[in-house]
């Protein structure tokens, strides 16, 4: 199994802290954010990781990856936030550049979890389909800034929308995705057919109309490092991963 870690963002909301330093390499709980994902991913059965960075921060990620034999770092070529490639295109880039042809977990490199990814992976294997995560969010303002999904009683995704003005449910979708290898070619197809490419969940909307996708109930908390104040809060509150 392969893990793709999306780390090509510029974190402009956290300037000046991230002006010349990438958010995934900041520390939470005594280690870098990206290392939390990498170490839990390894314990959960991910054999190799493809980290997609941008040209501005590529040297810092390559320095971080030294000695990590199961990590490949890729440069998507972008140099600033205004010219970023977009998450879905970065996923396509990683698949083609690394020759990925197995089940793949997509991970946002700037998120910290207090639960293990193993439960999500096992859920995907049990379902035998591509899967997303979901958690309940009652705040409409927050729902309008994330992906929102509707599901049936068997967790099957009926619809998925990124940043909706009028959310159709209270199920928010964090940026973690499990794709079976049979669905990977649809990423290129989706881009060619005009699916959104900025937010990683945009492809899920396209995929769910063509293949079954299931939504896993997130068993713990996700800490999204989105502001300097939020980052300091997370550093104080994060206690580590609980196996669930």
């Amino acid at each position: 199994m392969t893990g793709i870690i999306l780390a090509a963002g510029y974190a402009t909301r956290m300037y000046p802290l991230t002006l010349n330093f990438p958010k995934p390499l900041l520390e939470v709980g005594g280690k870098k954010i990206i290392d939390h994902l990498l170490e839990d991913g390894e314990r959960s059965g991910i054999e190799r990781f493809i980290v997609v960075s941008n040209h501005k921060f590529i040297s810092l990620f390559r320095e971080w990856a030294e000695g990590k034999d199961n990590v490949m770092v890729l440069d998507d070529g972008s140099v600033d936030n205004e010219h970023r490639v977009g998450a879905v295109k970065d996923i396509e880039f990683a698949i083609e550049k690394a020759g990925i042809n197995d089940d793949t977990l997509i991970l946002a490199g700037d998120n910290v979890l207090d639960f293990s990814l193993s439960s999500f992976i096992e859920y995907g294997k049990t379902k035998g389909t591509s899967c997303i995560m979901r958690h309940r969010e009652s705040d409409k303002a927050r729902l309008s800034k994330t992906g929102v999904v509707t599901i049936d009683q068997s967790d099957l995704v009926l619809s998925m929308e990124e940043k909706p003005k009028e959310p159709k449910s209270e199920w928010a979708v964090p940026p973690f995705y499990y794709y079976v290898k049979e669905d990977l070619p649809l990423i290129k197809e989706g881009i060619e057919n005009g699916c959104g490419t900025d937010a990683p969940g945009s492809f899920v909307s396209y995929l769910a109309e063509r293949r079954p996708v299931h939504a896993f109930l997130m068993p713990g908390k996700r800490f999204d490092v989105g502001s300097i104040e939020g980052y300091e809060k997370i550093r104080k509150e994060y206690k580590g991963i609980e196996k669930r």
Side-chain angles (χ1 to χ4, degrees):
M1 185 174 192
T2 299
I4 297 176
I5 300 179
L6 300 175
Y10 291 87
T12 57
R13 290 182 297 161
M14 292 182 66
Y15 281 7
L17 181 63
T18 54
L19 179 59
N20 294 302
F21 196 80
K23 188 163 49 167
L25 296 184
L26 294 174
E27 288 195 0
V28 170
K31 66 180 65 174
K32 299 182 187 303
I33 293 172
I34 196 170
D35 281 326
H36 285 285
L37 296 171
L38 187 73
E39 292 174 13
D40 182 55
E42 289 175 334
R43 291 192 295 267
S44 301
I46 298 177
E47 298 169 332
R48 65 167 177 162
F49 295 84
I50 314 301
V51 178
V52 185
S53 176
N54 54 53
H55 191 66
K56 180 178 180 179
F57 294 134
I58 191 65
S59 62
L60 293 173
F61 279 102
R62 285 176 175 161
E63 180 181 346
W64 161 80
E66 287 182 4
K68 296 179 172 65
D69 295 335
N70 62 341
V71 176
M72 175 188 290
V73 178
L74 299 178
D75 179 359
D76 76 358
S78 71
V79 294
D80 56 43
N81 191 60
E82 288 69 31
H83 299 91
R84 62 186 182 275
V85 173
V88 178
K89 287 186 177 180
D90 275 344
I91 294 169
E92 178 196 28
F93 172 61
I95 291 170
E96 293 185 350
K97 195 73 173 179
I100 299 172
N101 187 34
D102 55 358
D103 295 348
T104 301
L105 197 67
I106 311 297
L107 309 167
D110 58 357
N111 280 236
V112 182
L113 306 174
D114 74 351
F115 61 92
S116 175
L117 291 164
S118 60
S119 56
F120 182 43
I121 294 171
E122 286 304 314
Y123 177 88
K125 289 180 178 179
T126 299
K127 289 294 187 181
T129 69
S130 293
C131 298
I132 60 176
M133 285 191 190
R134 62 183 166 97
H135 65 88
R136 193 171 293 281
E137 176 58 70
S138 58
D139 188 324
K140 185 176 178 180
R142 290 182 179 178
L143 286 171
S144 67
K145 297 178 181 179
T146 188
V148 177
V149 66
T150 62
I151 60 174
D152 69 9
Q153 293 183 341
S154 66
D155 296 346
L156 184 70
V157 172
L158 302 177
S159 69
M160 165 78 178
E161 186 177 4
E162 282 285 352
K163 301 180 180 180
K165 292 182 179 179
E166 295 296 330
K168 296 178 181 178
S169 80
E170 292 186 349
W171 290 121
V173 179
F176 294 86
Y177 313 89
Y178 174 95
Y179 291 137
V180 294
K181 66 178 182 179
E182 294 82 6
D183 289 345
L184 295 183
L186 273 73
I187 296 175
K188 182 178 182 64
E189 176 188 297
I191 293 172
E192 291 174 348
N193 287 321
C195 98
T197 57
D198 191 35
S202 297
F203 171 65
V204 176
S205 303
Y206 182 86
L207 179 62
E209 293 178 353
R210 291 158 177 81
R211 302 279 177 87
V213 178
H214 288 88
F216 170 71
L217 181 61
M218 198 168 70
K221 292 182 179 179
R222 173 181 73 102
F223 299 90
D224 181 7
V225 184
S227 66
I228 293 178
E229 295 77 17
Y231 173 54
E232 293 302 328
K233 185 171 185 280
I234 292 165
R235 292 180 71 188
K236 293 177 182 178
E237 293 181 358
Y238 182 73
K239 304 299 182 184
I241 287 178
E242 296 180 13
K243 296 297 180 183
R244 309 188 190 192

